[in-house]
PDB file of all heavy atoms in Angstrom:
ATOM      1  N   ILE A  50      -3.936  10.955   2.941  1.00 88.00           N
ATOM      2  CA  ILE A  50      -2.523  10.586   2.706  1.00 88.00           C
ATOM      3  C   ILE A  50      -2.100  11.122   1.337  1.00 88.00           C
ATOM      4  O   ILE A  50      -2.691  10.757   0.327  1.00 88.00           O
ATOM      5  CB  ILE A  50      -2.349   9.047   2.704  1.00 88.00           C
ATOM      6  CG1 ILE A  50      -2.659   8.479   4.076  1.00 88.00           C
ATOM      7  CG2 ILE A  50      -0.960   8.653   2.232  1.00 88.00           C
ATOM      8  CD1 ILE A  50      -1.507   8.459   5.035  1.00 88.00           C
ATOM      9  N   PRO A  51      -1.076  11.982   1.296  1.00 74.00           N
ATOM     10  CA  PRO A  51      -0.637  12.478  -0.007  1.00 74.00           C
ATOM     11  C   PRO A  51       0.123  11.387  -0.747  1.00 74.00           C
ATOM     12  O   PRO A  51       0.810  10.574  -0.113  1.00 74.00           O
ATOM     13  CB  PRO A  51       0.299  13.625   0.368  1.00 74.00           C
ATOM     14  CG  PRO A  51       0.781  13.311   1.738  1.00 74.00           C
ATOM     15  CD  PRO A  51      -0.270  12.485   2.403  1.00 74.00           C
ATOM     16  N   THR A  52      -0.019  11.370  -2.064  1.00 68.00           N
ATOM     17  CA  THR A  52       0.811  10.410  -2.796  1.00 68.00           C
ATOM     18  C   THR A  52       2.242  10.935  -2.711  1.00 68.00           C
ATOM     19  O   THR A  52       2.455  12.103  -2.377  1.00 68.00           O
ATOM     20  CB  THR A  52       0.406  10.358  -4.292  1.00 68.00           C
ATOM     21  OG1 THR A  52       0.632  11.643  -4.849  1.00 68.00           O
ATOM     22  CG2 THR A  52      -1.059   9.970  -4.424  1.00 68.00           C
ATOM     23  N   PHE A  53       3.216  10.093  -3.005  1.00 64.00           N
ATOM     24  CA  PHE A  53       4.559  10.613  -2.786  1.00 64.00           C
ATOM     25  C   PHE A  53       4.876  11.741  -3.770  1.00 64.00           C
ATOM     26  O   PHE A  53       5.685  12.594  -3.499  1.00 64.00           O
ATOM     27  CB  PHE A  53       5.641   9.552  -2.703  1.00 64.00           C
ATOM     28  CG  PHE A  53       6.007   8.770  -3.916  1.00 64.00           C
ATOM     29  CD1 PHE A  53       5.645   9.151  -5.200  1.00 64.00           C
ATOM     30  CD2 PHE A  53       6.756   7.632  -3.764  1.00 64.00           C
ATOM     31  CE1 PHE A  53       6.026   8.416  -6.288  1.00 64.00           C
ATOM     32  CE2 PHE A  53       7.146   6.882  -4.851  1.00 64.00           C
ATOM     33  CZ  PHE A  53       6.798   7.280  -6.113  1.00 64.00           C
ATOM     34  N   ARG A  54       4.139  11.842  -4.829  1.00 65.00           N
ATOM     35  CA  ARG A  54       4.324  12.995  -5.718  1.00 65.00           C
ATOM     36  C   ARG A  54       3.801  14.260  -5.033  1.00 65.00           C
ATOM     37  O   ARG A  54       4.350  15.332  -5.183  1.00 65.00           O
ATOM     38  CB  ARG A  54       3.630  12.736  -7.048  1.00 65.00           C
ATOM     39  CG  ARG A  54       4.322  11.601  -7.818  1.00 65.00           C
ATOM     40  CD  ARG A  54       3.498  11.072  -8.983  1.00 65.00           C
ATOM     41  NE  ARG A  54       4.153   9.909  -9.574  1.00 65.00           N
ATOM     42  CZ  ARG A  54       4.032   8.680  -9.115  1.00 65.00           C
ATOM     43  NH1 ARG A  54       3.324   8.443  -8.031  1.00 65.00           N
ATOM     44  NH2 ARG A  54       4.652   7.664  -9.698  1.00 65.00           N
ATOM     45  N   ASP A  55       2.705  14.119  -4.221  1.00 68.00           N
ATOM     46  CA  ASP A  55       2.165  15.294  -3.483  1.00 68.00           C
ATOM     47  C   ASP A  55       3.192  15.769  -2.455  1.00 68.00           C
ATOM     48  O   ASP A  55       3.204  16.927  -2.077  1.00 68.00           O
ATOM     49  CB  ASP A  55       0.893  14.920  -2.695  1.00 68.00           C
ATOM     50  CG  ASP A  55      -0.235  14.475  -3.609  1.00 68.00           C
ATOM     51  OD1 ASP A  55      -0.142  14.746  -4.824  1.00 68.00           O
ATOM     52  OD2 ASP A  55      -1.182  13.841  -3.110  1.00 68.00           O
ATOM     53  N   ALA A  56       4.001  14.840  -1.966  1.00 68.00           N
ATOM     54  CA  ALA A  56       4.917  15.190  -0.847  1.00 68.00           C
ATOM     55  C   ALA A  56       6.159  15.905  -1.363  1.00 68.00           C
ATOM     56  O   ALA A  56       7.051  16.259  -0.600  1.00 68.00           O
ATOM     57  CB  ALA A  56       5.302  13.908  -0.094  1.00 68.00           C
ATOM     58  N   LEU A  57       6.233  16.118  -2.687  1.00 73.00           N
ATOM     59  CA  LEU A  57       7.433  16.791  -3.227  1.00 73.00           C
ATOM     60  C   LEU A  57       7.208  18.296  -3.142  1.00 73.00           C
ATOM     61  O   LEU A  57       6.872  18.953  -4.115  1.00 73.00           O
ATOM     62  CB  LEU A  57       7.677  16.332  -4.663  1.00 73.00           C
ATOM     63  CG  LEU A  57       8.198  14.896  -4.765  1.00 73.00           C
ATOM     64  CD1 LEU A  57       8.085  14.382  -6.177  1.00 73.00           C
ATOM     65  CD2 LEU A  57       9.631  14.799  -4.258  1.00 73.00           C
ATOM     66  N   GLU A  58       7.360  18.834  -1.923  1.00 73.00           N
ATOM     67  CA  GLU A  58       7.175  20.267  -1.751  1.00 73.00           C
ATOM     68  C   GLU A  58       8.335  20.789  -0.917  1.00 73.00           C
ATOM     69  O   GLU A  58       9.198  20.036  -0.489  1.00 73.00           O
ATOM     70  CB  GLU A  58       5.852  20.513  -1.016  1.00 73.00           C
ATOM     71  CG  GLU A  58       5.811  19.756   0.322  1.00 73.00           C
ATOM     72  CD  GLU A  58       4.539  20.001   1.101  1.00 73.00           C
ATOM     73  OE1 GLU A  58       3.520  20.384   0.498  1.00 73.00           O
ATOM     74  OE2 GLU A  58       4.589  19.825   2.327  1.00 73.00           O
ATOM     75  N   GLY A  59       8.415  22.097  -0.712  1.00 73.00           N
ATOM     76  CA  GLY A  59       9.492  22.647   0.126  1.00 73.00           C
ATOM     77  C   GLY A  59      10.868  22.310  -0.455  1.00 73.00           C
ATOM     78  O   GLY A  59      11.115  22.469  -1.645  1.00 73.00           O
ATOM     79  N   LEU A  60      11.751  21.770   0.422  1.00 72.00           N
ATOM     80  CA  LEU A  60      13.129  21.458   0.002  1.00 72.00           C
ATOM     81  C   LEU A  60      13.159  20.511  -1.185  1.00 72.00           C
ATOM     82  O   LEU A  60      14.109  20.482  -1.947  1.00 72.00           O
ATOM     83  CB  LEU A  60      13.856  20.760   1.176  1.00 72.00           C
ATOM     84  CG  LEU A  60      14.266  21.626   2.364  1.00 72.00           C
ATOM     85  CD1 LEU A  60      14.833  20.726   3.479  1.00 72.00           C
ATOM     86  CD2 LEU A  60      15.310  22.623   1.915  1.00 72.00           C
ATOM     87  N   TRP A  61      12.098  19.702  -1.299  1.00 73.00           N
ATOM     88  CA  TRP A  61      12.159  18.614  -2.271  1.00 73.00           C
ATOM     89  C   TRP A  61      11.353  18.943  -3.531  1.00 73.00           C
ATOM     90  O   TRP A  61      11.156  18.113  -4.383  1.00 73.00           O
ATOM     91  CB  TRP A  61      11.615  17.332  -1.611  1.00 73.00           C
ATOM     92  CG  TRP A  61      12.377  16.989  -0.375  1.00 73.00           C
ATOM     93  CD1 TRP A  61      13.567  16.317  -0.287  1.00 73.00           C
ATOM     94  CD2 TRP A  61      12.051  17.360   0.976  1.00 73.00           C
ATOM     95  NE1 TRP A  61      13.982  16.245   1.022  1.00 73.00           N
ATOM     96  CE2 TRP A  61      13.076  16.884   1.810  1.00 73.00           C
ATOM     97  CE3 TRP A  61      10.986  18.059   1.547  1.00 73.00           C
ATOM     98  CZ2 TRP A  61      13.067  17.061   3.198  1.00 73.00           C
ATOM     99  CZ3 TRP A  61      10.986  18.244   2.932  1.00 73.00           C
ATOM    100  CH2 TRP A  61      12.012  17.743   3.736  1.00 73.00           C
ATOM    101  N   GLU A  62      10.870  20.213  -3.618  1.00 78.00           N
ATOM    102  CA  GLU A  62       9.898  20.499  -4.691  1.00 78.00           C
ATOM    103  C   GLU A  62      10.497  20.382  -6.096  1.00 78.00           C
ATOM    104  O   GLU A  62       9.788  20.107  -7.043  1.00 78.00           O
ATOM    105  CB  GLU A  62       9.268  21.882  -4.499  1.00 78.00           C
ATOM    106  CG  GLU A  62      10.248  23.031  -4.611  1.00 78.00           C
ATOM    107  CD  GLU A  62       9.527  24.361  -4.378  1.00 78.00           C
ATOM    108  OE1 GLU A  62       8.282  24.391  -4.461  1.00 78.00           O
ATOM    109  OE2 GLU A  62      10.225  25.345  -4.098  1.00 78.00           O
ATOM    110  N   ASN A  63      11.798  20.523  -6.202  1.00 82.00           N
ATOM    111  CA  ASN A  63      12.385  20.447  -7.552  1.00 82.00           C
ATOM    112  C   ASN A  63      12.936  19.056  -7.864  1.00 82.00           C
ATOM    113  O   ASN A  63      13.735  18.894  -8.775  1.00 82.00           O
ATOM    114  CB  ASN A  63      13.505  21.489  -7.694  1.00 82.00           C
ATOM    115  CG  ASN A  63      12.947  22.887  -7.434  1.00 82.00           C
ATOM    116  OD1 ASN A  63      11.834  23.185  -7.889  1.00 82.00           O
ATOM    117  ND2 ASN A  63      13.661  23.678  -6.656  1.00 82.00           N
ATOM    118  N   TYR A  64      12.504  18.079  -7.067  1.00 80.00           N
ATOM    119  CA  TYR A  64      13.030  16.724  -7.289  1.00 80.00           C
ATOM    120  C   TYR A  64      11.936  15.813  -7.829  1.00 80.00           C
ATOM    121  O   TYR A  64      10.747  16.045  -7.622  1.00 80.00           O
ATOM    122  CB  TYR A  64      13.578  16.151  -5.979  1.00 80.00           C
ATOM    123  CG  TYR A  64      14.891  16.796  -5.584  1.00 80.00           C
ATOM    124  CD1 TYR A  64      14.907  18.012  -4.912  1.00 80.00           C
ATOM    125  CD2 TYR A  64      16.103  16.233  -5.970  1.00 80.00           C
ATOM    126  CE1 TYR A  64      16.106  18.643  -4.589  1.00 80.00           C
ATOM    127  CE2 TYR A  64      17.304  16.844  -5.644  1.00 80.00           C
ATOM    128  CZ  TYR A  64      17.295  18.047  -4.963  1.00 80.00           C
ATOM    129  OH  TYR A  64      18.485  18.665  -4.651  1.00 80.00           O
ATOM    130  N   ASP A  65      12.387  14.788  -8.490  1.00 84.00           N
ATOM    131  CA  ASP A  65      11.457  13.767  -8.980  1.00 84.00           C
ATOM    132  C   ASP A  65      11.543  12.609  -7.993  1.00 84.00           C
ATOM    133  O   ASP A  65      12.636  12.228  -7.571  1.00 84.00           O
ATOM    134  CB  ASP A  65      11.944  13.318 -10.373  1.00 84.00           C
ATOM    135  CG  ASP A  65      11.096  12.170 -10.923  1.00 84.00           C
ATOM    136  OD1 ASP A  65      10.700  11.316 -10.113  1.00 84.00           O
ATOM    137  OD2 ASP A  65      10.824  12.165 -12.136  1.00 84.00           O
ATOM    138  N   ALA A  66      10.390  12.046  -7.627  1.00 82.00           N
ATOM    139  CA  ALA A  66      10.370  10.945  -6.648  1.00 82.00           C
ATOM    140  C   ALA A  66      11.340   9.841  -7.065  1.00 82.00           C
ATOM    141  O   ALA A  66      11.974   9.201  -6.230  1.00 82.00           O
ATOM    142  CB  ALA A  66       8.961  10.400  -6.531  1.00 82.00           C
ATOM    143  N   GLN A  67      11.479   9.658  -8.377  1.00 80.00           N
ATOM    144  CA  GLN A  67      12.356   8.561  -8.821  1.00 80.00           C
ATOM    145  C   GLN A  67      13.826   8.920  -8.587  1.00 80.00           C
ATOM    146  O   GLN A  67      14.703   8.078  -8.644  1.00 80.00           O
ATOM    147  CB  GLN A  67      12.103   8.261 -10.307  1.00 80.00           C
ATOM    148  CG  GLN A  67      10.636   7.925 -10.559  1.00 80.00           C
ATOM    149  CD  GLN A  67      10.453   6.971 -11.730  1.00 80.00           C
ATOM    150  OE1 GLN A  67      11.401   6.343 -12.183  1.00 80.00           O
ATOM    151  NE2 GLN A  67       9.232   6.858 -12.189  1.00 80.00           N
ATOM    152  N   GLN A  68      14.083  10.229  -8.292  1.00 82.00           N
ATOM    153  CA  GLN A  68      15.469  10.615  -7.958  1.00 82.00           C
ATOM    154  C   GLN A  68      15.732  10.409  -6.468  1.00 82.00           C
ATOM    155  O   GLN A  68      16.867  10.249  -6.043  1.00 82.00           O
ATOM    156  CB  GLN A  68      15.669  12.109  -8.252  1.00 82.00           C
ATOM    157  CG  GLN A  68      15.763  12.491  -9.709  1.00 82.00           C
ATOM    158  CD  GLN A  68      15.827  14.025  -9.822  1.00 82.00           C
ATOM    159  OE1 GLN A  68      14.999  14.728  -9.212  1.00 82.00           O
ATOM    160  NE2 GLN A  68      16.793  14.522 -10.556  1.00 82.00           N
ATOM    161  N   LEU A  69      14.645  10.463  -5.675  1.00 88.00           N
ATOM    162  CA  LEU A  69      14.821  10.409  -4.214  1.00 88.00           C
ATOM    163  C   LEU A  69      14.616   9.003  -3.670  1.00 88.00           C
ATOM    164  O   LEU A  69      15.337   8.569  -2.780  1.00 88.00           O
ATOM    165  CB  LEU A  69      13.815  11.363  -3.557  1.00 88.00           C
ATOM    166  CG  LEU A  69      14.125  12.852  -3.667  1.00 88.00           C
ATOM    167  CD1 LEU A  69      12.950  13.673  -3.151  1.00 88.00           C
ATOM    168  CD2 LEU A  69      15.373  13.206  -2.911  1.00 88.00           C
ATOM    169  N   ALA A  70      13.635   8.307  -4.210  1.00 91.00           N
ATOM    170  CA  ALA A  70      13.285   6.993  -3.653  1.00 91.00           C
ATOM    171  C   ALA A  70      14.107   5.896  -4.324  1.00 91.00           C
ATOM    172  O   ALA A  70      13.590   5.001  -4.986  1.00 91.00           O
ATOM    173  CB  ALA A  70      11.790   6.737  -3.862  1.00 91.00           C
ATOM    174  N   THR A  71      15.461   6.028  -4.174  1.00 94.00           N
ATOM    175  CA  THR A  71      16.357   5.006  -4.751  1.00 94.00           C
ATOM    176  C   THR A  71      17.543   4.782  -3.803  1.00 94.00           C
ATOM    177  O   THR A  71      17.933   5.694  -3.069  1.00 94.00           O
ATOM    178  CB  THR A  71      16.965   5.454  -6.111  1.00 94.00           C
ATOM    179  OG1 THR A  71      17.921   6.505  -5.854  1.00 94.00           O
ATOM    180  CG2 THR A  71      15.908   5.951  -7.075  1.00 94.00           C
TER     181      THR A  71
END
Side-chain angles (χ1 to χ4, degrees):
I50 295 273
T52 62
F53 68 16
R54 293 166 186 84
D55 297 344
L57 288 165
E58 56 178 22
L60 286 174
W61 303 277
E62 64 181 343
N63 302 319
Y64 287 83
D65 176 323
Q67 303 210 15
Q68 286 175 311
L69 285 172
T71 71

